[in-house]
């Protein structure tokens, strides 16, 4: 199981992204499910629509609708998100990244991300593993 971060999703969506093949392989090598935290939907939607177009955004939403990605509301994650944002304020680890971490901690720990700066620091706690490595 892999929890998706915005950077990983964006690289998957953008075939011209230098990390597209690497992120696609990370998902192909894992049987899933692939979890999309609701806390990053706005960020993913904004980037996809603005940089890649509405058709790309609609295709990703169709994937969620079809069940290719499990949408995780994270309602119980707010205390952990607050803790992470406070602890890593110097990064800064914002709401979206903290939502990904909290979701991943509940779901096996693997996070598809290209944001090695923030996620590598949080991974030192031993509760998440960024992929691709």
């Amino acid at each position: 199981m892999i929890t998706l971060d915005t950077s990983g999703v964006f690289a998957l969506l953008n075939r011209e992204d230098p990390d597209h093949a690497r992120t696609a392989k990370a998902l192909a090598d894992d049987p899933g499910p692939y979890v999309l935290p609701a806390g990053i939907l706005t960020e993913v939607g904004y980037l996809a629509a603005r940089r890649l177009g509405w058709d790309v955004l609609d295709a990703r939403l169709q994937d969620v609708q079809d069940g290719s990605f499990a949408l995780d509301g994270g309602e119980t994650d707010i205390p952990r998100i607050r803790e992470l944002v406070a602890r890593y304020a110097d990064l800064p680890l914002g709401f979206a990244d903290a939502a990904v971490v909290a979701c991943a901690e509940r779901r096996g720990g693997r996070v598809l991300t290209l944001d090695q700066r923030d996620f590598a620091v949080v991974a030192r706690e031993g509760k998440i593993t960024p992929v691709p490595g």
Side-chain angles (χ1 to χ4, degrees):
M1 179 177 305
I2 296 179
T3 300
L4 306 176
D5 175 48
T6 302
S7 62
V9 172
F10 190 73
L12 287 169
L13 293 173
N14 184 1
R15 295 183 188 276
E16 307 219 355
D17 188 293
D19 293 303
H20 174 79
R22 194 163 68 114
T23 55
K25 182 176 180 343
L27 290 190
D29 290 347
D30 187 280
Y34 312 118
V35 181
L36 187 64
I40 69 165
L41 279 179
T42 302
E43 198 172 60
V44 169
Y46 174 80
L47 287 173
R50 182 160 174 87
R51 296 184 185 174
L52 303 173
W54 289 106
D55 55 332
V56 173
L57 172 59
D58 187 56
R60 187 57 51 215
L61 291 172
Q62 185 67 52
D63 287 340
V64 173
Q65 183 177 330
D66 293 344
S68 297
F69 297 95
L71 186 60
D72 186 316
E75 296 88 352
T76 61
D77 290 339
I78 299 301
R80 179 63 173 147
I81 291 169
R82 291 180 65 215
E83 176 187 344
L84 288 164
V85 169
R87 181 181 307 149
Y88 296 105
D90 60 321
L91 288 179
L93 186 75
F95 173 80
D97 288 346
V100 170
V101 170
C103 179
E105 287 175 346
R106 286 186 293 102
R107 293 180 163 269
R110 297 181 59 199
V111 178
L112 180 70
T113 186
L114 300 171
D115 184 0
Q116 296 301 320
R117 181 187 64 134
D118 292 351
F119 285 92
V121 171
V122 177
R124 290 184 197 140
E125 288 187 22
K127 296 179 181 178
I128 65 164
T129 303
V131 294

